[in-house]
Amino acid sequence: MTTDYANILDSYTLANGVTLKNRVLLAPMTNFASEENGEVSEEELAYYKVRSSGVGAVITACANVTEDGKGFPNEIGVYSDRLIPGLKRLAATIQAQGAKAILQIFHGGRMCPPELVPGQEPISASAVPAERENAAVPREMTEADVERVIEAFAEATRRAIEAGFDGVEIHGANTYLIQQFFSPHSNRREDKWGGTLTKRLSFPLAVVDRVRAAVEK
Ligand SMILES: Cc1cc2nc3c(=O)[nH]c(=O)nc-3n(C[C@H](O)[C@H](O)[C@H](O)COP(=O)(O)O)c2cc1C
């Protein structure tokens, strides 16, 4: 090991006072292991149990904040209060191994397979399909959809807190909805949510603001 990583196993205290036992994190990895209805499964709990003991924190696989944000089969759901009991077991399983538990919250936007979302109709910033073979043309989100999804990120955060998670991570990368608003390819809107770089950042920043408010409540 080079000296660059000499302190990787030392504890680390975050600005908010939370201490991680070391500086190694489990990256979020979608594993298709939960129930079809979004509930955390026994298989999911077993997966995290064996991966949580050595690390300072675990970031879970992405969890969809709305039903129309489901990007993968057997994804963890965080879109309804009925999912809180399973999420509680997930947080407790990770924490029992000495790691902090961070739930990754997510909306797949136009990358959601049509068969996984209500009405088989993925949504996105604009009605532009991804440049991938057989990509579905999404429905452009209305102003009400935009507000609904922002609020869903806040509600997902409230549920994560109720379930005992130490934190949430907003999934803003890898071609999903937040990035779809940022990208001029997928965001062709002419209202306040699209256009200039600043306007294309309005949705990502609104999500961050609302999640922060939910954490501080
Ligand atoms: C099977 C698989 C599933 C992944 N799922 C997620 C995910 O749910 N959320 C996320 O932010 N990144 C996800 N990623 C990205 C990883 O967290 C990581 O950022 C990426 O693999 C780059 O790290 P690496 O170079 O060490 O592989 C996934 C990667 C893989 C290989």
Side-chain angles (χ1 to χ4, degrees), residues 27-30 60-62 72 104 169 171 174:
M29 284 176 287
T30 290
T60 68
C62 62
F72 306 95
Q104 189 180 62
E169 180 182 72
H171 193 346
N174 302 2

Side-chain angles (χ1 to χ4, degrees), residues 35-157:
E35 305 290 355
E36 241 171 72
N37 66 5
E39 285 172 16
V40 169
S41 66
E42 296 300 326
E43 186 187 349
E44 193 83 79
L45 296 174
Y47 172 92
Y48 283 102
K49 187 173 177 193
V50 296
R51 286 170 178 79
S52 300
S53 62
V55 295
V58 166
I59 305 173
T60 68
C62 62
N64 52 305
V65 301
T66 60
E67 287 189 84
D68 60 17
K70 185 169 180 172
F72 306 95
N74 301 86
E75 184 169 292
I76 302 169
V78 62
Y79 54 85
S80 160
D81 285 358
R82 83 171 157 78
L83 301 167
I84 294 175
L87 292 166
K88 265 188 188 157
R89 294 182 69 204
L90 178 55
T93 296
I94 295 168
Q95 290 158 345
Q97 304 303 315
K100 299 295 178 193
I102 299 171
L103 186 73
Q104 189 180 62
I105 55 178
F106 156 90
H107 191 296
R110 70 181 185 179
M111 299 306 289
C112 295
E115 66 274 15
L116 293 185
V117 298
Q120 309 221 342
E121 189 181 49
I123 58 172
S124 188
S126 300
V128 179
E131 292 202 347
R132 298 193 182 187
E133 218 174 309
N134 301 321
V137 180
R139 174 175 68 75
E140 176 169 314
M141 291 164 72
T142 62
E143 177 77 28
D145 285 319
V146 176
E147 288 297 338
R148 171 177 64 81
V149 174
I150 294 169
E151 185 53 29
F153 274 94
E155 278 288 279
T157 303

Side-chain angles (χ1 to χ4, degrees), residues 10-11 13 40 43 46 63 81-82 113 115 119 121 161 165 175 196-197 205 215:
D10 294 348
S11 66
T13 301
V40 169
E43 186 187 349
D81 285 358
R82 83 171 157 78
E115 66 274 15
E121 189 181 49
I161 293 168
F165 279 90
T175 76
T196 61
L197 175 65
L205 293 178
V215 168

